[in-house]
Amino acid sequence: MNPINNIFVVGAGQMGHGIAFVSALNGYNVQLFDMSSDALALAEEKMSTHLQKGLDKGKVSTEQADAFTNNLRTTTSIDDCTSADLFIEAIPEKMSLKKELFKDVDKRLAEQAIIASNTSSLSIHELALSTSRADRFVGLHFFNPVHIMKLLEIIRGPRTSDDTYNRVLAYGEAINKSCITVNDAPGFATSRLGITLGNEAMRMVEQGVASAADIDQAMKLGYGHPMGPLMLTDWVGLDVRLGISNYLYDELSTDTFRPPRILRKMVEAGMLGRKSGRGFYIWENGKAISPNLELPK
Ligand code: NAD
């Protein structure tokens, strides 16, 4: 089994910067690519904050911090991916956009290189077919924030080889994630269940069953969830959740996945959750400060 040493992460947003961070911290040689140099600058700022907080709390050793500094590079040139053993994509959740990227990099990457998508829901097989290496294609679904969340969902497409699976499993374990394996199906295990709960919670707000804050409290205190489904929706981004819900509704054709009216209205109104400052809660400096009392009807 060829070990993975060099990792190329594409998309320096919410997820990509976290994937690059945990990979470099755990000894991998990482390049983080984005077309936007502003996105890269912001990613570097966030990674420095994670590093400092980790050091302050004793969760990151000085050796790891040094390794991180030596191992992480940012780039705006896709040509730099040629030496990657593992290419991880974390660009927006759009099938056509991702396929276009994969088609392009398939020609640039070494024969043995593995391509992984951090998609939350899209078919791994369909994405894989945009390349000539469906056997070396896999889903690696990380969770937000990547440096905190333990789970890594590994999605095997019908043609993902055992060798590819074993190599990414070894990588997942090396970055201290708890890995689960799921066969390729819309929404995998996590998004399918997460959207089910989130959509129903939104319909309950719509119908006036209870406030968003009380629904969240119900799931936290009644079921031991660390975060309620509406707070989680804000955290992930309402636009991201709407995209996944639309896709699952198209693929699975059950009403569970039909996007709730309030979700569509909030996205139209620019209430995207934490990243826009307003969602089911009002957010300041990345923290929820109060419930949003002006939700669309
Ligand atoms: P994001 O919008 O925060 O970041 C996307 C980044 O990709 C941006 O920096 C943008 O400049 C860059 N980008 C766009 N097109 C590009 C291209 N063609 N080449 C290179 N860079 C490009 O998005 P995100 O929330 O990090 O989501 C990325 C992926 O991760 C999506 O597939 C999403 O479904 C998935 N995901 C998101 C979450 C979450 O909680 N946000 C959780 C798990 C998985």
Side-chain angles (χ1 to χ4, degrees), residues 54 74 121 150 187:
T74 58
S121 59
K150 284 294 288 177

Side-chain angles (χ1 to χ4, degrees), residues 19-30 64 67-69 71-72:
I19 298 168
F21 177 74
V22 297
S23 302
L25 199 65
N26 288 291
Y28 290 94
N29 187 21
V30 180
Q64 276 183 307
F68 170 79
T69 311
N71 291 341
L72 195 277

Side-chain angles (χ1 to χ4, degrees), residues 10-17 19 33-36 39-40 46 78 89-94 97-98 100-101 117-122 140-146 191 232 235-237 239-240 244 275:
V10 176
Q14 186 101 295
M15 299 305 292
H17 90 272
I19 298 168
F33 165 83
D34 204 292
M35 326 177 280
S36 152
L40 285 174
K46 286 187 191 162
I78 194 77
E89 165 275 316
I91 68 172
E93 188 78 343
K94 237 188 203 158
L97 194 67
K98 290 185 193 278
E100 201 182 309
L101 172 71
S117 174
N118 182 48
T119 175
S120 308
S121 59
L122 304 177
L140 286 181
H141 186 201
F142 289 85
F143 290 79
N144 185 15
V146 179
S191 299
L232 183 62
W235 190 273
V236 170
D239 51 340
V240 175
I244 301 171
K275 62 184 161 191

